[in-house]
Amino acid sequence: MQAQGTVFTNVLDKGKHMSDTHSDAPLLRTPLYDLHVSLGAKMVPFAGYAMPVQYPSGIIKEHTHTRTQAGLFDVSHMGQVFLVGPEAAAALETLVPVDIIDLPQGMQRYALFTNDTGGVMDDLMVANFGDRLFVVVNAACKAQDIAHMQKHLSGRCKVEVLDDRALLALQGPAAATVLARLAPEVARMVFMNSLTVNLLGVSCYVSRSGYTGEDGYEISVPADKAEALARELLSHPEVAPIGLGARDSLRLEAGLCLYGHDLDVNTSPVESSLLWALSKPRRADGARAGGYPGADVILGHIANGVSRKRVGLRPNARVPVREGAEIIDADGRKVGVVTSGGFGPTLEAPVAMGYVETALAKVGTPLSAMVRGKPVPIEVASTPFVPQRYYRG
């Protein structure tokens, strides 16, 4: 129960952090709110929404169920946007250090909004649906991101906010088997494929992707059809509802960043160990080098290196290491900070991520994290902490 409480506390803390700008506003509800309540979910504030942090089975069981069968997540609090028009891809490239122009139809790509100092404003997903791009942004940054796109892209393409759609994620090794019962064509999709799929007679935008490290799908569905689809998926014996608590522990085990914690406006993608996300055509020797906010800073970081880097961390004790804990070296000198931390149910051990001086970023480097005034031994570790199981065909 202590481990479960750790995850639970982390999510509550993150929810408060992400809800700061909405503190005086009533909590918004997703189209699945009534379903969550009927299933016995514990609802908490998260990024301005009332969201399920866990169901009666508890976070540990939800986590394990997703790793072994299939979990259904409500992520309808995230922002969904169409960018429509022949110049949409070229326009979006002015805001992200990513190759959008050459993104094949039917594929999705991870991207980052950067600012003028090379920091990350948000991370997002971009899918090419042929006559339009489908963009999904984080809930806490939704208003900012939509305004950013409207300000900078509206002159070249239509920015269409999809307020009338919900977003579900079906994740886990049984996800493909379950969803293929409703639409056989999804079984042929591979990681990061995107497709318009008919589910229960409704047109849905489906990608084979997710935020757990497991195989799975994200499904954009009309809001008024979301509960029917969720209930249908939950009727399959492999599927259980999963809350934000397990979503956080799953993504942490998978070594995936949480915006506002592992990524922020003062940290570049290079410092964040996201060099892989910076497309080669947008780098210094690429066909369309630069041309996005903070390009000079980011390209300089690629060329010259950085003083700190995001790394995985494994505490060498059962003590969880939380976000904000200082990282020190053998001499007691502060050399970094923890940005995400908690219990990894699959590993049955604590895991964390954070930033350390680049000279100390090598896997196996022994350090300590300060927990309640006492040093806890930790070690720099490679991520993901558990193998990612994306289906690549």
Side-chain angles (χ1 to χ4, degrees):
M1 290 302 294
Q2 182 180 8
Q4 182 156 310
T6 298
V7 178
F8 179 72
T9 303
N10 284 350
V11 173
L12 288 180
D13 290 345
K14 288 164 184 169
K16 289 173 185 174
H17 172 83
M18 291 183 167
S19 298
D20 286 348
T21 56
H22 306 278
S23 56
D24 297 328
L27 291 176
L28 300 171
R29 295 179 175 183
T30 76
L32 297 184
Y33 177 87
D34 290 341
L35 176 60
H36 299 314
V37 172
S38 74
L39 293 172
K42 180 175 181 61
M43 306 299 288
V44 299
F46 190 87
Y49 284 78
M51 296 296 292
V53 71
Q54 70 176 78
Y55 296 87
S57 63
I59 292 170
I60 302 296
K61 287 185 178 178
E62 291 174 29
H63 178 110
T64 302
H65 191 94
T66 305
R67 288 268 184 256
T68 57
Q69 297 191 65
L72 184 66
F73 302 76
D74 178 11
V75 287
S76 304
H77 57 321
M78 300 182 77
Q80 303 180 62
V81 178
F82 274 149
L83 302 180
V84 185
E87 290 193 60
L92 185 56
E93 282 201 359
T94 66
L95 300 181
V96 300
V98 176
D99 180 3
I100 306 297
I101 288 175
D102 296 324
L103 177 63
Q105 184 172 339
M107 288 297 295
Q108 177 176 265
R109 185 161 286 161
Y110 178 75
L112 304 153
F113 284 135
T114 52
N115 62 20
D116 290 339
T117 57
V120 177
M121 293 174 57
D122 196 11
D123 57 344
L124 58 145
M125 286 291 193
V126 183
N128 181 0
F129 277 92
D131 63 339
R132 64 196 60 204
L133 298 175
F134 179 50
V135 177
V136 178
V137 299
N138 284 308
C141 304
K142 180 163 57 174
Q144 161 206 284
D145 291 350
I146 290 170
H148 188 55
M149 287 186 281
Q150 288 171 333
K151 177 180 179 180
H152 295 284
L153 305 182
S154 292
R156 300 181 66 183
C157 63
K158 180 181 179 183
V159 180
E160 182 182 341
V161 182
L162 305 178
D163 285 330
D164 58 347
R165 298 191 77 86
L167 193 65
L168 310 181
L170 184 67
Q171 300 284 296
T177 298
V178 171
L179 197 59
R181 291 174 190 152
L182 278 63
E185 63 268 33
V186 302
R188 297 190 295 271
M189 298 173 71
V190 296
F191 182 56
M192 296 297 248
N193 273 174
S194 295
L195 190 66
T196 302
V197 177
N198 190 295
L199 297 173
L200 303 185
V202 178
S203 182
C204 297
Y205 309 119
V206 177
S207 68
R208 195 159 191 170
S209 61
Y211 192 49
T212 62
E214 298 293 331
D215 183 23
Y217 302 86
E218 295 197 335
I219 306 162
S220 173
V221 56
D224 61 349
K225 307 295 184 184
E227 184 172 335
L229 179 58
R231 287 188 182 276
E232 168 61 31
L233 292 169
L234 289 170
S235 74
H236 295 253
E238 302 94 335
V239 183
I242 312 296
L244 291 177
R247 180 171 162 84
D248 191 54
S249 57
L250 288 158
R251 71 91 194 168
L252 180 55
E253 284 188 343
L256 300 174
C257 295
L258 175 63
Y259 188 79
H261 303 266
D262 311 300
L263 304 174
D264 62 38
V265 293
N266 298 311
T267 307
S268 81
V270 183
E271 293 171 313
S272 304
S273 298
L274 295 176
L275 184 61
W276 58 267
L278 307 181
S279 303
K280 290 182 179 179
R282 311 303 307 282
R283 298 189 192 183
D285 57 351
R288 298 185 305 283
Y292 51 85
D296 289 348
V297 175
I298 293 170
L299 295 177
H301 283 181
I302 294 174
N304 304 316
V306 290
S307 61
R308 62 184 182 127
K309 294 191 75 173
R310 179 178 62 89
V311 297
L313 301 165
R314 290 291 301 269
N316 295 323
R318 298 286 293 178
V319 181
V321 174
R322 304 284 189 84
E323 176 185 357
E326 287 190 358
I327 299 171
I328 61 173
D329 65 10
D331 298 322
R333 182 175 64 91
K334 181 182 177 182
V335 295
V337 64
V338 174
T339 53
S340 282
F343 184 75
T346 308
L347 301 166
E348 298 183 338
V351 291
M353 294 192 297
Y355 285 80
V356 299
E357 294 176 2
T358 301
L360 301 173
K362 185 179 178 181
V363 170
T365 302
L367 298 166
S368 295
M370 297 301 295
V371 178
R372 293 187 290 276
K374 296 181 179 179
V376 172
I378 61 175
E379 188 174 285
V380 176
S382 60
T383 58
F385 299 105
V386 299
Q388 293 174 340
R389 298 195 288 185
Y390 306 127
Y391 179 72
R392 301 182 187 273

